[in-house]
Amino acid sequence: MLRRTPVPAISSSSYSCFSSSLNLLLRSPTRCRVPRRALCCCNQSTGPESPPPPVVIRANHAGLRLEEKVEVGLQKTRIDSWISSRIRGVSRARIQSSIKSGLVSVNGRTVNKASHVVKGGDMVYCMVSKLQPLRAEPEDIPLDIVYEDEHVLVVNKPAHMVVHPAPGNLNGTLVNAILHHCRLPTMACVKSNQASEADEYSDSDSEIEDLCTEQYTAEGIDLENCDALIRPGIVHRLDKGTSGLLVVAKDDHSHSHLAEQFKQHTIHRVYISLTSGIPNPSSGRIEVPIARDSNNRIRMAAVSGLNNSRHARYAASRYKVIEDFARGGAAMVQWRLETGRTHQIRAHAKYLGIPLLGDEVYGGTKSMALSLLRPRIPSSLHGHLTNILSKLERPCLHAFSLGFKHPHTGEFLRFSCPPPEDFSEVLDQLRSVSSHCSNN
């Protein structure tokens, strides 16, 4: 177990000391929600002149039903794709699972292939399959503990570690490590909005996670009795590629209290990032809603004005350039979150035209970084620069500081943690390149 000597929390009265920590960096290289059954049907016939609105399902629960005729004039399309477009918020993977379970029919005949093609006039029936809770086993995984008492735990999450279990990531997560550290039994993880479908399809209003734990029997879980199985746990998330500070609740009161602070946006959070290019102006506030990208379901998008979708969620971030490199070819940008949407910083950075270095999903590709940096540095450094960027394996984003009101003592605690080695190495190399530019 990797454990730091407990770092004393920084009280609000001594915040001036805390605020200087970033400058030092610059100078040195609730409840478990049980699925409720609901019915959602649309039986009217439709034509090309008045296509029906998509069926909007805000709670992704087992038993939800769709019964609808494919609009006339629609080009032939896969049935899993068509159903996904009609049932908002339910992943395509889950629709495919429903098809494999025999819960989808076309014109009265059961369909068992997700690739089945539907055409205009076909009558489609679908029932969303039962959601299976994820089991997370305690695992002896080293934790970098920044602070711990009997009520809360603050950890420094490494990059590439997933926070909670998801299909394909049942082991090696932060939750697995915390279950072992806190000596909790096997856990069933039921996310507040769509359990077991991972961050990819999260559409919650906040970063709150609801976790249920229980000692499993041979018969497995009874979700109807999940309220009695609640254990405190993860209160907020960080993306897999994001490193930095994250708070964990160790009792019900702490979980509820911290969750409320996230809901009210009173949690203090500061992130630092390395970006392609530099924002103009160099500091400001961006208040642009975020929604699922209609062209890429694993990506979010900042949408404004006429492009604003009714599914977009309010999102606000404050940013400030801390340091720029190679005459504006890259920058270190500080972010303060007012809300906690999925991929908020990454989506807002892309919207500002400064995608994070290493963030291939949001446009921070190596080729873009090179196109901005090469014209600004001596040609003798081009090979060195390419080598730097080739080492990037994740978005350069780090949760640098975290502050919250202690759920039991009421004291406001603040913590800070420098970025990990991979981030710091790129930062140092950018500074080195910039110094050569200054000398020429």
Side-chain angles (χ1 to χ4, degrees):
M1 175 74 67
L2 173 62
R3 179 190 293 273
R4 294 180 176 178
T5 302
V7 178
I10 303 176
S11 65
S12 56
S13 62
S14 60
Y15 180 59
S16 59
C17 295
F18 166 79
S19 60
S20 66
S21 58
L22 183 56
N23 293 328
L24 291 174
L25 168 67
L26 303 182
R27 291 194 294 269
S28 63
T30 25
R31 290 175 53 121
C32 175
R33 302 180 186 179
V34 180
R36 298 189 300 270
R37 293 189 176 274
L39 173 66
C40 185
C41 297
C42 182
N43 295 312
Q44 73 260 31
S45 298
T46 60
E49 298 181 355
S50 58
V55 178
V56 178
I57 297 177
R58 298 188 182 278
N60 306 297
H61 303 319
L64 287 170
R65 287 183 277 174
L66 168 73
E67 187 172 1
E68 185 177 329
K69 182 174 289 188
V70 178
E71 57 269 32
V72 176
L74 179 73
Q75 293 184 347
K76 293 181 179 181
T77 186
R78 286 171 56 118
I79 189 168
D80 58 340
S81 177
W82 185 83
I83 294 175
S84 294
S85 72
R86 311 306 292 171
I87 306 181
R88 299 295 184 185
V90 176
S91 73
R92 189 164 172 176
R94 191 163 175 204
I95 295 301
Q96 292 172 347
S97 176
S98 302
I99 293 171
K100 292 177 182 178
S101 299
L103 300 177
V104 175
S105 63
V106 177
N107 300 326
R109 294 185 178 182
T110 300
V111 172
N112 55 22
K113 290 186 178 181
S115 59
H116 179 90
V117 174
V118 294
K119 59 185 183 299
D122 283 345
M123 178 60 73
V124 177
Y125 172 86
C126 172
M127 177 182 287
V128 179
S129 61
K130 183 177 180 180
L131 191 62
Q132 297 299 320
L134 297 173
R135 298 189 179 189
E137 300 285 346
E139 295 181 41
D140 188 3
I141 301 171
L143 285 174
D144 187 357
I145 299 174
V146 176
Y147 174 85
E148 181 175 20
D149 61 27
E150 61 182 318
H151 305 295
V152 297
L153 175 70
V154 178
V155 299
N156 178 27
K157 186 189 86 68
H160 309 298
M161 174 182 268
V162 175
V163 170
H164 55 72
N169 274 307
L170 295 178
N171 305 106
T173 73
L174 184 62
V175 164
N176 296 113
I178 289 171
L179 287 175
H180 179 272
H181 177 76
C182 296
R183 303 187 185 281
L184 294 176
T186 301
M187 182 188 75
C189 180
V190 184
K191 289 182 65 178
S192 59
N193 186 49
Q194 181 159 344
S196 84
E197 294 198 12
D199 280 346
E200 180 180 347
Y201 298 106
S202 172
D203 197 25
S204 59
D205 279 332
S206 70
E207 296 175 306
I208 298 169
E209 286 288 340
D210 293 317
L211 303 176
C212 298
T213 62
E214 75 163 340
Q215 201 71 45
Y216 278 93
T217 63
E219 291 75 30
I221 264 187
D222 177 8
L223 283 179
E224 300 301 324
N225 296 322
C226 196
D227 284 352
L229 306 174
I230 296 173
R231 295 292 185 273
I234 305 297
V235 183
H236 63 126
R237 298 191 299 269
L238 294 177
D239 291 342
K240 177 181 178 180
T242 303
S243 57
L245 297 174
L246 186 143
V247 62
V248 178
K250 297 172 71 174
D251 58 65
D252 278 336
H253 173 80
S254 297
H255 187 277
S256 176
H257 197 282
L258 288 169
E260 183 64 22
Q261 291 183 59
F262 272 98
K263 183 178 179 180
Q264 299 300 326
H265 310 305
T266 58
I267 298 285
H268 166 87
R269 288 174 292 172
V270 176
Y271 293 73
I272 55 174
S273 67
L274 298 178
T275 65
S276 293
I278 185 170
N280 184 21
S282 60
S283 65
R285 181 176 183 271
I286 175 171
E287 184 179 319
V288 180
I290 290 177
R292 183 71 54 193
D293 191 324
S294 59
N295 297 317
N296 187 335
R297 289 176 64 89
I298 68 171
R299 185 172 65 195
M300 307 301 289
V303 292
S304 62
L306 297 176
N307 295 323
N308 198 339
S309 164
R310 61 175 172 165
H311 301 293
R313 305 299 182 107
Y314 173 80
S317 309
R318 294 182 183 272
Y319 69 90
K320 179 181 179 181
V321 174
I322 303 301
E323 191 173 355
D324 69 276
F325 312 105
R327 302 186 181 99
M332 179 159 67
V333 179
Q334 171 187 290
W335 302 85
R336 293 178 181 268
L337 298 184
E338 296 182 17
T339 54
R341 303 294 176 232
T342 300
H343 298 180
Q344 179 170 320
I345 291 175
R346 298 166 68 187
H348 275 174
K350 177 178 173 63
Y351 182 85
L352 291 172
I354 54 163
L356 308 187
L357 286 177
D359 195 350
E360 300 279 338
V361 173
Y362 285 86
T365 62
K366 295 178 179 64
S367 60
M368 178 182 182
L370 287 171
S371 69
L372 289 173
L373 288 166
R374 276 179 170 171
R376 294 172 166 85
I377 66 174
S379 58
S380 60
L381 295 176
H382 287 184
H384 180 58
L385 178 64
T386 301
N387 183 53
I388 295 171
L389 298 177
S390 67
K391 296 179 180 179
L392 290 176
E393 297 181 348
R394 58 139 177 150
C396 287
L397 182 62
H398 176 70
F400 176 75
S401 70
L402 176 68
F404 55 89
K405 186 177 181 180
H406 194 284
H408 286 265
T409 68
E411 180 183 9
F412 199 87
L413 307 178
R414 297 179 191 264
F415 306 92
S416 63
C417 186
E421 184 177 351
D422 65 335
F423 186 111
S424 298
E425 182 179 358
V426 175
L427 176 59
D428 290 342
Q429 295 296 330
L430 287 173
R431 284 173 174 160
S432 176
V433 169
S434 294
S435 67
H436 281 85
C437 294
S438 302
N439 295 330
N440 292 335

